[in-house]
Amino acid sequence: MVEPYIKCAECGPSPFLLCLQCFTRGFEFKKHESDHKYEIMTSDFPVLEPGWTAQEEMAVLEAVMDCGFGNWLDVAYQMRTKSKEECEAHYMKNFINNPLFSSTLLNLRQIEEARTADTAIPFKPTDDPPRPTFDSLLSRDMAGYMPARADFMEEFDNYAEWDLKDIDFVDDDSDLLHALKIAVVDIYHSRLKERGRRKKIIRDHGLINLRKFQILEHRYPKEVQDLYDAMRRFARVVGPIEHDKFIESHALEFELRREIGRLQEYRRAGIQSFCSAKVYERVKHVREDERRKRTMLVDVLQYIQDGRACQQWLSKQCYCSTATGRRSAPPLNLTGLPGTEKLNDREKELCQVVRLVPGAYLEYKQALLNECRRQGGLRLAQARALIKIDVNKTRKIYDFLIKEGYINKT
């Protein structure tokens, strides 16, 4: 009905509407008579501020619902009577910052934040989130999570929507068929709730940044790490803060018990000052090293009958341990390891020297090859950023691939 129009005040309950032309001619229909009381219906009058009619107020609200809060260019295009700046200023003044509507109109920004908190998982470590390529090492570490979209590439129960794609509610459905369709929809809703629940656990406990999570976990002593692993399954029951407090309290208890045990050991040894305790610890470490050397000698003597040769070997090991701080590890035995058959002789030798299993080497090699093809070359710094292993191993792999011609420098 084109405004303005006439509404009969006596006919009902369904409203009886008349255009101005029919009203002036005294149009009558069924129970409606020309002498009935009437109302003039129009929205061509200001409501909140001059220059904005009631019809434009409804139009801007409808445009914001259709185009989304903040898309003022699209809102103005849909209204056609106001500019982008006028739409934004009017909406912010009268519907967002107006205290008159604070109790009746919800803030759209708060609604958006609440919706995001339930569904999306923001990536917080950086303002500009990383955008890992598909099937890259970083993408696999993040379980397919895409920070720029704040969502996963593949959802939990990813094909839950397939059960609904062929359902259509029609009027001639039987009661049983209608009930079955409703049951399918209810099942789908329960699957969506489970998907949202898992996302909430991942978001609350910070499981997206897996490497940071693992670094925080490894800062605890081994005994506390064992407790951490045992209690991990209960983390979804309590909140992340409560779970962290529980683990931290047990870590503190462990440290206190260890410190109490150390002080009790000093007391049994007759130590009465911390200066004496330092000397005691130094002598204790020397004594433990000597005991470890004797134990090593006994173990070697079980297999070597020549005691002099065994002693020379032991002295050599002790010298290497003292000079370098640690003994060099023997070459890795590749026998029976998956992926060995895919390596050539030079690659097998590299894996043995670097002590890298063939499966991991092939994965790192493919990642470096893909990055080299994408960038047109590869630097050592880029290789180290791509594969997160020991920098010395990364350099050996990088130099080997350069030497063999698999990749080239930029």
Side-chain angles (χ1 to χ4, degrees):
M1 183 68 68
V2 179
E3 295 185 354
Y5 58 90
I6 304 300
K7 176 183 177 183
C8 180
E10 298 185 14
C11 296
S14 300
F16 187 81
L17 308 179
L18 287 170
C19 65
L20 294 180
Q21 291 80 5
C22 295
F23 177 74
T24 55
R25 295 173 184 172
F27 180 79
E28 296 182 349
F29 181 75
K30 293 185 179 179
K31 296 181 179 181
H32 176 69
E33 298 180 0
S34 58
D35 59 350
H36 281 183
K37 296 179 181 179
Y38 60 90
E39 299 176 6
I40 300 176
M41 308 301 295
T42 180
S43 57
D44 189 17
F45 56 90
V47 177
L48 299 178
E49 63 178 278
W52 281 78
T53 65
Q55 187 174 4
E56 289 175 329
E57 298 287 358
M58 293 187 292
V60 72
L61 292 176
E62 184 176 356
V64 170
M65 292 180 62
D66 294 340
C67 304
F69 178 77
N71 299 323
W72 303 115
L73 185 62
D74 296 337
V75 171
Y77 179 79
Q78 182 169 328
M79 285 196 61
R80 298 188 180 277
T81 59
K82 299 294 181 181
S83 66
K84 167 189 172 184
E85 291 75 14
E86 289 175 331
C87 292
E88 180 179 4
H90 179 77
Y91 192 88
M92 296 299 296
K93 174 184 177 182
N94 295 282
F95 296 101
I96 299 299
N97 300 323
N98 189 349
L100 177 64
F101 295 96
S102 60
S103 61
T104 57
L105 293 178
L106 292 177
N107 191 315
L108 292 181
R109 185 172 298 173
Q110 294 177 352
I111 297 176
E112 180 66 19
E113 291 177 355
R115 186 188 65 81
T116 303
D118 292 336
T119 57
I121 306 174
F123 190 86
K124 295 182 179 179
T126 57
D127 293 333
D128 185 18
R131 293 166 174 81
T133 58
F134 175 72
D135 202 29
S136 63
L137 185 63
L138 180 58
S139 177
R140 290 194 294 273
D141 284 345
M142 299 173 65
Y145 181 70
M146 298 174 291
R149 288 178 51 185
D151 208 348
F152 287 92
M153 185 177 299
E154 184 173 342
E155 297 278 6
F156 169 75
D157 199 359
N158 197 47
Y159 300 100
E161 287 76 11
W162 281 29
D163 295 337
L164 297 179
K165 62 186 181 68
D166 296 327
I167 292 182
D168 187 16
F169 288 88
V170 295
D171 295 335
D172 57 351
D173 283 344
S174 63
D175 295 340
L176 179 59
L177 183 58
H178 183 79
L180 287 175
K181 291 180 178 180
I182 293 296
V184 173
V185 174
D186 291 340
I187 294 174
Y188 171 69
H189 285 166
S190 64
R191 297 165 78 176
L192 286 185
K193 289 181 180 179
E194 177 62 18
R195 181 185 295 174
R197 185 186 71 86
R198 290 172 179 259
K199 283 186 177 183
K200 187 176 185 301
I201 293 175
I202 293 175
R203 182 193 65 247
D204 293 345
H205 290 272
L207 302 181
I208 286 298
N209 198 342
L210 184 59
R211 293 189 179 278
K212 180 179 179 181
F213 185 79
Q214 291 174 342
I215 292 175
L216 293 176
E217 180 180 349
H218 290 321
R219 64 184 176 140
Y220 297 117
K222 184 180 182 303
E223 293 79 2
V224 180
Q225 290 184 20
D226 295 340
L227 174 66
Y228 201 104
D229 293 336
M231 300 303 297
R232 192 194 309 273
R233 68 195 67 181
F234 301 104
R236 59 184 179 179
V237 180
V238 297
I241 297 179
E242 290 78 6
H243 181 72
D244 290 343
K245 286 182 178 179
F246 176 79
I247 297 298
E248 288 290 343
S249 63
H250 280 75
L252 178 60
E253 179 188 1
F254 173 79
E255 292 294 335
L256 290 176
R257 288 181 179 273
R258 185 167 61 179
E259 183 67 17
I260 291 173
R262 189 167 65 91
L263 295 176
Q264 290 176 343
E265 180 183 359
Y266 292 162
R267 175 175 293 182
R268 289 193 297 269
I271 297 175
Q272 299 179 354
S273 66
F274 285 105
C275 293
S276 301
K278 292 181 179 179
V279 177
Y280 173 80
E281 289 291 343
R282 185 166 59 252
V283 174
K284 177 182 176 182
H285 289 322
V286 173
R287 186 169 60 250
E288 290 178 350
D289 290 340
E290 293 294 335
R291 184 184 299 111
R292 186 165 53 254
K293 293 177 183 178
R294 289 195 299 269
T295 304
M296 185 185 304
L297 179 60
V298 172
D299 293 339
V300 174
L301 284 175
Q302 294 179 358
Y303 302 97
I304 302 178
Q305 299 299 326
D306 190 351
R308 182 178 179 182
C310 179
Q311 183 63 40
Q312 292 177 351
W313 174 85
L314 180 60
S315 300
K316 181 179 178 181
Q317 298 300 315
C318 294
Y319 172 77
C320 293
S321 176
T322 305
T324 63
R326 60 178 182 180
R327 292 178 294 171
S328 58
L332 180 65
N333 185 8
L334 303 181
T335 305
L337 293 180
T340 306
E341 69 281 356
K342 299 180 182 180
L343 307 179
N344 56 37
D345 294 338
R346 293 184 297 276
E347 289 177 324
K348 291 180 181 178
E349 182 179 358
L350 174 68
C351 290
Q352 289 175 338
V353 174
V354 182
R355 294 186 61 80
L356 194 65
V357 294
Y361 164 75
L362 292 173
E363 183 179 352
Y364 298 149
K365 174 184 174 183
Q366 188 62 42
L368 294 177
L369 290 178
N370 293 339
E371 187 68 15
C372 181
R373 283 194 293 266
R374 191 174 69 86
Q375 300 284 352
L378 192 67
R379 300 194 305 271
L380 177 60
Q382 293 174 321
R384 286 175 174 170
L386 191 62
I387 54 177
K388 302 294 186 180
I389 58 175
D390 182 71
V391 293
N392 296 321
K393 292 185 178 181
T394 304
R395 183 176 188 87
K396 292 180 180 179
I397 296 174
Y398 176 80
D399 293 341
F400 175 80
L401 295 179
I402 292 287
K403 180 181 179 181
E404 295 296 324
Y406 289 110
I407 62 176
N408 58 285
K409 298 181 179 180
T410 54

